[in-house]
Amino acid sequence: QLRRPATAPAAPAASGDSDGDVEGGEGKDGENERQPVSAELAAASAAFAKRAAELEAELNAHKTDNERMRRDVDRMIGEVEDARREAQLPKTPSMAHFQALSGVIVDLERRLEVREMELTHARGDLRAAADAEMHAVRSQYEAALSAKDQEIRRFRAELDGLMAVLEQLHAADVADGVAAAPTAVPAR
């Protein structure tokens, strides 16, 4: 017959056995083996629960320490920022005057940059406006010049027509023998 080691849990009795026989052993021996295994299992379980409770308590303690340290770090950062601001404050009247003048200079430089940007924009706007006005004047001038050229062409056509009629009349007068007063015909 084989016996199981004391550390391994015993196999449960078969459901059909009423006299308590266990596979691999008689009834009393199987029960004796089960008791030490269950006691060991219970002891291990209790030790595990105790260790889990210890670790949980330790974790909570670390969380509390972490929160306290985080608050301390935030407080220290605030103190450093306060010290930095305090270090920048003037300590003597001459330093206060120097710092005031320095602030005025910084303000004047900033205002100068703003003014230069405004002037640059104004110069660009003026140049664009002048270009647009010059284009408009040039367009008006070209339109007026074109109209005058058309008018001159029309007058020239009328003058040519009148000169042609005058020449025809003059030629007809000469052909009819009518003595006409000498008229000067301008050359074209």
Side-chain angles (χ1 to χ4, degrees):
Q1 293 181 358
L2 296 173
R3 298 190 93 165
R4 296 178 187 235
T7 58
S15 59
D17 291 337
S18 60
D19 60 339
D21 286 343
V22 177
E23 267 185 35
E26 296 296 314
K28 290 248 180 206
D29 287 339
E31 284 180 25
N32 288 338
E33 283 182 17
R34 274 191 223 147
Q35 287 175 352
V37 171
S38 354
E40 283 182 24
L41 187 57
S45 207
F48 177 74
K50 182 180 175 186
R51 182 66 180 146
E54 289 172 357
L55 290 174
E56 186 71 30
E58 192 176 325
L59 177 65
N60 288 335
H62 284 301
K63 284 181 181 178
T64 304
D65 288 346
N66 190 17
E67 287 298 320
R68 183 182 45 80
M69 287 181 191
R70 185 170 290 145
R71 284 191 303 271
D72 289 346
V73 166
D74 290 342
R75 181 184 47 81
M76 288 178 188
I77 288 173
E79 289 174 2
V80 167
E81 288 174 359
D82 291 344
R84 186 176 291 147
R85 270 188 246 113
E86 187 177 317
Q88 291 177 349
L89 294 176
K91 305 291 185 228
T92 63
S94 63
M95 283 181 68
H97 183 69
F98 175 76
Q99 203 166 28
L101 287 176
S102 179
V104 168
I105 289 171
V106 167
D107 185 52
L108 288 173
E109 287 174 344
R110 183 190 53 78
R111 288 171 50 194
L112 176 65
E113 288 176 8
V114 168
R115 178 62 102 187
E116 286 177 349
M117 286 185 354
E118 288 173 350
L119 288 174
T120 301
H121 289 308
R123 188 178 305 129
D125 292 345
L126 282 174
R127 181 169 286 136
D131 289 345
E133 186 177 347
M134 187 169 67
H135 181 70
V137 168
R138 178 175 280 147
S139 295
Q140 287 176 342
Y141 173 73
E142 288 173 353
L145 187 61
S146 177
K148 289 296 180 186
D149 282 345
Q150 274 185 327
E151 193 175 334
I152 289 172
R153 280 190 222 108
R154 195 177 69 239
F155 286 149
R156 183 170 297 233
E158 285 179 24
L159 181 62
D160 287 344
L162 289 174
M163 290 302 290
V165 169
L166 186 60
E167 285 176 7
Q168 285 176 356
L169 287 175
H170 184 62
D173 283 344
V174 170
D176 286 340
V178 177
T183 58
V185 176
R188 284 194 227 168

